[in-house]
Structures are given as C-alpha cells and as structure tokens.
Amino acid sequence: MIPTIFTNARLIDPEKGTDTIGTLAIKDGVIAGPQGLDGATQIDCDGKCLAPGIVDIGVKVSEPGERHKESFRTAGLAAAAGGVTTIVTRPDTLPAIDTPEVLEFVRRRANEAAPVNVLPMAALTRGREGREMAEIGFLLDAGAVAFTDCDRVTENPKVFSRCMTYAAALGALVVAHPQEPTLSAGAAATSGKFAALKGIPAVSPLAERMGLDRDIAIVEMTGGRYHADQITTARAVVRLQRAKEAGLDVTAGVSIHHLTLNELDVGDYRTFFKVKPPLRSEDDRLAVAEAVATGVIDVISSMHTPQDEESKRLPFEEAASGAIGLETLLPASMRLYHAGQIDLPGLWRALSLNPAKRLGLSSGRLAPEAPADLVLFDPDAPFVMNRFKLQSKSKNTPFDEARMEGRVLDTWVAGERINVAPISDV
Amino acid sequence: MSFRARHLLGIEHLAPDEITTLLDLADTYVDLNRRDVKHDTALTGLTQINMFFENSTRTQASFEIAGKRLGADVMNMNMQASSTKKGETLVDTALTLNAMHPDLLVVRHPNSGAVNLLAQKVNCAVLNAGDGRHEHPTQALLDALTIRRAKGRLHRLTVAICGDISHSRVARSNIHLLGKMENRIRLVGPPTLMPSGAAEWGVEVCNTMEEGLKDADVVMMLRLQKERMDGAFIPSEREYYHRYGLDAKKLSHAKGDAIVMHPGPMNRGVEIDSTIADDINRSVIQDQVEMGVAVRMAAMNLLARNLHSKHEDNGVMV
C-alpha cells in the first residue's frame, strides 16, 4: 500500500487535546506520525479538519430480520458518508443476536457488505427477555464486544445482578438502558407542560435517575463493568458523577438527538422526533451538553435506529421510536461546537477516543500505530439536509430540511479511502 | 366576519375573533333550531362523513343532526367495526375516504394527534370530534356559547374545571378557549388526575373543591371514567364522591348565581349529585346539549365557506 501524507491539515487530536495545523502520514493501514515519508501520495487538506474516525456505540443494523429498513451495506455506506469508521451494532434484531451462531452470521454479513469496521454487541439475556443469561462466554469468544438488551431493561434485579457478576468475571462490558421500566411503560414523551397540553402519555424525567440508581447499586454489588447507553437528564448526571467519584467502573453515553433537540421539537405530533428515551426539556439538554464538555458523560452516539415510513406514519402514541443518525452525527455535533459548548478535541474525545477506549480498541486517536481510521471535514460548511439524499434505507431523520453547518469531505478506514458521496455533497 | 381556519382540529390555533365569529353564527342557529321547521341550505349538496374510531352516541348524533339541518348528505361510519380491524392504517383509511370526495370529515380517534395526521392527508375540511386526551374543540365551543348566554359575557369570569383533568380533552380545549377569552381558570381535582405541568398553563391548580369553587361563576364538572375509579388513580368511588363530587355544600362556596356544567354522560353520585344536576336554577347541562347542535352547525358552515372560497379565490390572498 502506498503511504499517504496529509499536509496543511487542522489536526484534531482528542488524546492530546490539541487543535493545530500540521502534517500526518499513514502507512500500511496505520498512522505513521507527523514526519514525511518517501514516495507518499500527498493530500493537501487546505486547512480543513482531520480527526480520528467516529466510533459509534449502539447502531442498529436491521439484519437479521428487517433488511428492508437497513442492511449492513447501507448502514456501512451511511457510516462512511458520516465520518463514522467503526459501528458497534445493537442486538435488538429479529431474532435477537443472542447465540454464537447468529453472531457468526452477523459478522460474516458485515465483513462482506460494510466498508467500515463493524463490531457487534450481543444480547445480555436470551431473546432480550430478561429471564435467562445469554451464553456470554461463547459470545465473547465469537467476537461480541459488549452485552446489552438495548432499550429493554432487565427488570428483575436478581437476574441483572447475576448477569453482571458473570460478565464481570469474564471482563465483559455490559451496556444498559437506565430507566424505571414500569414507570415509563406506555410513555411517548417527557412529562411536563408540553406533553400534558398535547395529551401525549408521558413519563417523569426522574424515571431515568431511578433506573440508573438501581444499576449503580448493582455495579457496586457485583464489581461489573457498566456503560449506560444514554443519560439524558440533569438529575441522572449528578448520580453518574457520584458513581464515578466512588471509583465504580461506570461510563455513560448520550445520543446526539438529546444533545441537539428538545421536547418542543415534537410540535404537532411529528413522529420523526419520537425517540427512546423521549426528548427532554431544554434545561436537561443544556445540562447534558455540559456533562459531555466536562467529561462526566463519556460518549456521544447516533443511536441510529432505522424505521420505515409505515412505522412512523401513525398517531404519535402508536408510531415506532427511533431516529437514524449515522450521517447526521457529525454535522449535528457541530451545533455544540458552533454554540461554544465544546471545543473540537473535546467533541472528538466523546465521538472517537472514549468509545474506543471503553471497548479496548486502539482506534480513536492520531497516535503512531493507531489504525488509520480518519475523517476529513469542514466544520463551517453550511448545507440544508435532504433526507432523501441519505445513504440509509430508512429516512427517519429529525433533521430533515434543517440548516446544518459541518460537512464530511472524506473518510478513510485502515488507510483506505472510502468512496461515498457524503450527504453534504448535494 | 372572520374565520380563516381550514380545519377545526383544536382551539389552540384559533384566534379570539374566530371564536367570537363562530359563536355569533351559532346564536342564530339556536333560534333556527327552536322553530317548527328547522332547515337551512348552507350545506346543500355537500357530503359530510362522521368517522368515529371510538364509541360515541351523543357527539355523533349531534354532528349528524347539525349536518342534516343544514342540508348536507350525512354518512356515519363506525370505524371500530371496520377496515382498521383488518390492519388498514389510519392514513390509508383517510386516503380511501378522500377518494370519495367528502366535503366535511368529522373524526373521533382514541389517540392524541391522530386527527391532525389525518387532516394532512385529505382535501376536505376536517373537524376534530375528540382525539385522545388532546382536544375536543366543539365541546369547548358549546360550553362557551352556554356560558355566554347564561352569563351575558365570556370574559372576566372565574371558571372552575373539576375532576379528571389528566385524561380529559374537554378540559384542555376549555382551558385554551377560556384562556384566550381572558377568564380566570381554576383546575380542581385529586393530584393523581392532575397533569404534571398544569401549573405552567396559566391556571390555578387546587386540590380541594372548597378552595377551587370559591367565588366561581362557572363550575364545570368532568366525567370520571369507570376504569380510573378502582384504586389506580383514586382509592374508591365513594371517597371520590366525598371529596370531589359536586353537592349543595360544595357548590355553596361558589357565587350564588354560579352555573353548573357537565359534558355528559354523567355518573350521578360519583362526580355530581342528582339534585344539583337536575336543579333548573343552577344546572345548564341540558342547554349544553342544545348549544352543541348549534355550534356544530356554525363550525361546519364556516369551514364549508372556506372550502369554496379556496377554489373561487384561486390563490389570491383575501
């Protein structure tokens, strides 16, 4: 492979916390360093940003079961177009990815079809039903990078604590959805003035804190490795911080939608804004953005959840939850940067470095020997989002027709340039 | 004369002058409805379809009579026993009906926002006859007309809305309407049936009837659904009646000439005492039913006019 050297690049290094103009060379699929290399192809970045590719924890690819919503091919293309070089997939498929055999199928499909790195998570319990443990050991051997029942909470604390204990012994990471499940049953919005006026069944934002409190107690009890998929409320942030200060092995993520949208965006029952947990108040949104900037919340994810038109074109209560996000993650994140809430190295700590570290990957950084997974982007380029130009099979984005700033220009995975017309090239 | 709305989906997006226009027209229909020959030709040649996805006798009958008195061809569709049971989506049902060229579509649906969704997919005027716990605009309008006729005005009144606020679309539409017309609104009910965030609606929230009814001009009782009575939201029917049922003693806290309203059907002995409900000096419950027909005639007439003006004006702003 011919080495490549990026010159005149604005290098975003989340590890060093720097944002400087410089040079970066890559060779044999890994980063070589800032020095020039003989015979290298030169790419003049024209002062645009070069950062580690995004590592996105919690992407739903609808294989097996619902390939009409998203396949590994389309998810991979969407990821590349959005500067996401590693997708960490969710097991909430049909059937759930809860046996080594299904996991094997997923890995084979992913390798054939997706142009980016795909790392699968597996179900924590069989069928994600919260009753019997999945074969955590076998699944780990087969390549599962973490265990999760996704948005289903393991209601029975005895079952959850045993899963945590077993996973802890194997050093496996458990990703959970902090939420009090009986309190939030049937809810489609966050309780408050807006949801009550619109007559949408709603749940108190405190249900998230209650769920997190229980999970933290079980982490304390079992010594397990725990990652909360989404922390979206100010009150849960406080508990998360306390658990970290107590030395527990706890990390947390947040979806880009909860960082950039609030409950009022639902407006007159716009179902593309129905996500799980529901969008929160503006106060909560600001608190969560602050928690990302200070590092209390470790990871930003797209929580990419493809839904076809039929599952969304329904009365709000009946419509499916979830929004796609692979291609809009980077431009939407730029809203936080442009609002002055976080700098670019800080943003990339949450988008690439922290998720990679949490999963034990060597990517997510610009250091020598790290994989040459890179994204080149223009943080200031404006465009108007058109959902029909997205690579994803499903078009359920809440950013349709939104004015955005920040275009992905190019993506490299293990030193290979991925030729996908990014969304912003419209 | 101003009424600009294309659909009547809720009170939230109506302007005060539109409300007044509608009530003024409804007043004339009250007179018409009291004559021997109750007929007008405002909707002659137009087709009105009543689509009820949720049980209703009173509202459906009221809309049907209103349409017939104005000369519309009225069709009732009981959607509970229909194609939705065969898996057809709401949007497909709407498109199917739309192809039959109705002019007025009256819709009731158990989900909040469902009527808004449907209105986006059809060409005709849509009237919301109640969607989930969101809005029931014609109920609020008939309540407003009843209040205006009984009190001589529709502003600067103290109105107590009592009971299950949380699950009530009637309460929400009334809060919008009475607020737009500059009245003082009190919500009274057990905290388990009070929506969170209600205090931010520009109303006063009261947990006792004594506090809520004090010096009220209008006492509006809401129906308590049977399925909410047993332990889930309130301990028991009898405790509810004791604390929140409207009887003479509780009503004595209101003004001496306060009127009592109820959207029906009533649970006598649960939310309202029979002697109050039947007291012709206080209760305007039967008037509400009468006003209901007049208000629905007015609403359909105004929407039908906008339906025509849309074609005649051909895009010219008027």
Side-chain angles (χ1 to χ4, degrees):
Chain A
M1 190 189 282
I2 304 166
T4 306
I5 179 156
F6 297 92
T7 59
N8 196 18
R10 185 175 160 191
L11 297 169
I12 309 300
D13 189 331
E15 210 170 15
K16 291 186 189 149
T18 54
D19 176 354
T20 48
I21 297 286
T23 301
L24 188 79
I26 60 174
K27 191 186 175 191
D28 299 331
V30 297
I31 289 166
Q35 73 286 2
L37 293 170
D38 291 338
T41 315
Q42 187 175 320
I43 295 177
D44 183 354
C45 298
D46 193 24
K48 301 289 187 288
C49 295
L50 188 68
I54 296 170
V55 179
D56 192 358
I57 299 182
V59 172
K60 169 134 180 204
V61 177
S62 311
E63 281 191 64
E66 295 176 298
R67 208 151 111 185
H68 64 288
K69 292 188 177 179
E70 193 82 283
S71 67
F72 277 104
R73 201 181 107 75
T74 53
L77 291 174
V84 176
T85 50
T86 300
I87 57 179
V88 182
T89 60
R90 304 207 307 253
D92 52 347
T93 46
L94 293 172
I97 301 166
D98 61 353
T99 61
E101 290 76 14
V102 182
L103 191 76
E104 195 55 47
F105 162 83
V106 167
R107 292 194 62 187
R108 198 178 63 241
R109 280 286 304 147
N111 286 333
E112 281 167 14
V116 300
N117 306 309
V118 179
L119 300 174
M121 294 192 282
L124 182 66
T125 64
R126 280 186 201 159
R128 301 196 298 126
E129 284 173 356
R131 287 199 293 269
E132 300 149 314
M133 227 182 275
E135 291 173 315
I136 295 174
F138 278 153
L139 286 160
L140 209 54
D141 295 343
V145 295
F147 294 83
T148 181
D149 282 345
C150 304
D151 61 359
R152 284 203 203 148
V153 178
T154 311
E155 283 193 44
N156 186 332
K158 199 171 254 179
V159 173
F160 190 58
S161 62
R162 282 180 185 150
C163 290
M164 286 291 292
T165 305
Y166 195 87
L170 297 171
L173 178 68
V174 173
V175 178
H177 183 69
Q179 188 69 220
E180 209 306 303
T182 45
L183 203 56
S184 58
T190 303
S191 64
K193 180 185 171 184
F194 174 77
L197 260 191
K198 291 289 175 191
I200 305 172
V203 60
S204 163
L206 277 167
E208 180 173 289
R209 193 192 90 185
M210 290 169 72
L212 184 66
D213 278 345
R214 183 204 75 158
D215 288 1
I216 287 172
I218 289 175
V219 173
E220 202 177 329
M221 200 162 93
T222 60
R225 302 179 63 216
Y226 177 91
H227 177 77
D229 65 348
Q230 301 178 72
I231 293 295
T232 61
T233 60
R235 281 154 157 154
V237 167
V238 176
R239 301 307 173 106
L240 173 66
Q241 184 165 19
R242 197 190 292 172
K244 286 183 160 189
E245 284 163 4
L248 298 177
D249 192 354
V250 170
T251 52
V254 60
S255 91
I256 189 61
H257 302 115
H258 291 91
L259 284 170
T260 52
L261 304 169
N262 70 28
E263 57 184 348
L264 301 181
D265 285 304
V266 168
D268 272 335
Y269 307 99
R270 296 194 289 172
T271 57
F272 281 10
F273 291 82
K274 183 177 178 183
V275 291
K276 206 169 171 186
L279 291 174
R280 306 301 194 182
S281 69
E282 180 65 3
D283 286 348
D284 274 335
R285 184 188 77 83
L286 290 171
V288 169
E290 172 71 18
V292 172
T294 57
V296 176
I297 290 180
D298 310 84
V299 171
I300 301 174
S301 300
S302 70
M303 292 311 286
H304 183 82
T305 305
Q307 298 289 3
D308 53 14
E309 302 281 310
E310 284 67 41
S311 3
K312 283 288 188 184
R313 214 166 49 176
L314 290 170
F316 198 81
E317 272 178 75
E318 290 176 7
S321 297
I324 55 167
L326 281 169
E327 281 161 274
T328 47
L329 177 54
L330 187 144
S333 299
M334 287 300 129
R335 287 187 174 181
L336 300 174
Y337 165 65
H338 290 299
Q341 285 164 316
I342 194 165
D343 59 10
L344 289 177
L347 196 53
W348 252 263
R349 202 177 54 214
L351 285 170
S352 64
L353 179 66
N354 287 345
K357 268 176 93 176
R358 191 55 170 152
L359 297 170
L361 311 175
S362 52
S363 57
R365 40 179 75 84
L366 294 182
E369 297 308 313
D373 294 347
L374 299 166
V375 54
L376 181 67
F377 66 97
D378 179 347
D380 303 312
F383 69 102
V384 177
M385 244 291 296
N386 175 354
R387 69 188 181 113
F388 296 106
K389 302 276 185 179
L390 293 170
Q391 300 285 340
S392 277
K393 272 191 194 174
S394 295
K395 311 294 182 193
N396 55 308
T397 171
F399 296 113
D400 189 32
E401 295 178 12
R403 279 154 215 287
M404 309 195 91
E405 232 178 315
R407 298 163 58 139
V408 174
L409 302 172
D410 236 323
T411 305
W412 287 263
V413 175
E416 296 260 10
R417 187 181 194 154
I418 311 294
N419 287 312
V420 184
I423 165 63
S424 35
D425 270 12
V426 293
Chain B
M1 169 53 225
S2 62
F3 192 85
R4 300 165 295 276
R6 233 190 105 210
H7 304 295
L8 183 62
L9 301 178
I11 302 293
E12 188 180 358
H13 299 301
L14 284 186
D17 66 315
E18 290 180 296
I19 293 168
T20 306
T21 299
L22 196 150
L23 296 182
D24 290 346
L25 181 62
D27 255 331
T28 69
Y29 286 129
V30 175
D31 299 337
L32 176 77
N33 288 337
R34 287 178 181 173
R35 284 192 221 139
D36 290 342
V37 178
K38 312 167 182 64
H39 213 264
D40 191 350
T41 55
L43 300 183
T44 302
L46 300 186
T47 304
Q48 171 194 342
I49 299 181
N50 297 335
M51 246 171 119
F52 280 66
F53 293 89
E54 196 181 73
N55 258 332
S56 163
T57 316
R58 308 156 61 95
T59 307
Q60 187 171 338
S62 183
F63 268 109
E64 185 175 354
I65 290 175
K68 284 182 170 163
R69 288 203 179 144
L70 293 179
D73 299 316
V74 186
M75 191 180 87
N76 287 315
M77 291 183 72
N78 179 5
M79 302 309 292
Q80 283 182 306
S82 167
S83 47
T84 44
K85 288 270 189 284
K86 298 176 193 163
E88 189 176 60
T89 65
L90 180 63
V91 169
D92 282 334
T93 307
L95 292 176
T96 305
L97 275 178
N98 195 45
M100 300 179 196
H101 298 292
D103 302 287
L104 295 157
L105 204 53
V106 178
V107 187
R108 170 170 287 191
H109 196 281
N111 290 135
S112 304
V115 184
N116 296 50
L117 175 67
L118 199 141
Q120 291 164 18
K121 308 289 174 188
V122 296
N123 301 322
C124 60
V126 176
L127 288 98
N128 182 1
D131 63 324
R133 11 175 141 163
H134 177 220
E135 283 229 44
H136 189 355
T138 55
Q139 178 69 44
L141 288 162
L142 74 88
D143 289 341
L145 186 62
T146 309
I147 295 170
R148 200 172 78 166
R149 289 173 72 101
K151 290 282 156 198
R153 66 176 199 271
L154 189 57
H155 58 274
R156 297 175 76 184
L157 295 167
T158 301
V159 183
I161 306 176
C162 315
D164 181 0
I165 312 287
S166 191
H167 300 96
S168 174
R169 52 195 174 212
V170 175
R172 282 171 181 77
S173 286
N174 265 308
I175 290 163
H176 282 304
L177 193 151
L178 294 167
K180 281 177 200 282
M181 306 315 274
E182 299 180 4
N183 294 284
R184 184 172 179 181
I185 304 167
R186 294 203 194 117
L187 304 182
V188 193
T192 44
L193 295 174
M194 192 65 70
S196 64
E200 298 165 52
W201 289 351
V203 299
E204 294 164 61
V205 175
C206 310
N207 282 331
T208 68
M209 291 289 274
E210 290 70 21
E211 184 194 350
L213 264 53
K214 191 170 185 307
D215 297 328
D217 297 289
V218 178
V219 180
M220 202 178 266
M221 301 306 297
L222 297 171
R223 179 179 163 75
L224 183 67
Q225 304 281 342
K226 283 262 183 239
E227 62 266 28
R228 321 230 197 267
M229 287 178 197
D230 308 318
F233 288 89
I234 51 164
S236 71
E237 204 175 302
R238 61 180 193 178
E239 182 164 330
Y240 184 80
Y241 179 66
H242 176 70
R243 293 181 56 79
Y244 296 99
L246 186 66
D247 55 19
K249 184 158 170 268
K250 296 195 188 88
L251 186 57
S252 70
H253 292 89
K255 281 192 184 152
D257 62 348
I259 55 169
V260 174
M261 308 177 76
H262 193 295
M266 280 182 281
N267 296 305
R268 289 169 186 264
V270 180
E271 68 253 359
I272 191 162
D273 185 80
S274 269
T275 54
I276 303 287
D278 299 333
D279 181 350
I280 53 165
N281 295 317
R282 309 304 292 272
S283 164
V284 293
I285 295 170
Q286 295 308 316
D287 300 324
Q288 288 176 273
V289 180
E290 185 188 355
M291 297 308 129
V293 177
V295 153
R296 288 171 181 126
M297 289 167 80
M300 289 196 287
N301 185 348
L302 290 170
L303 289 175
R305 288 184 204 177
N306 289 355
L307 208 60
H308 293 308
S309 66
K310 189 181 68 188
H311 301 300
E312 284 161 15
D313 298 336
N314 207 10
V316 180
M317 296 292 283
V318 284

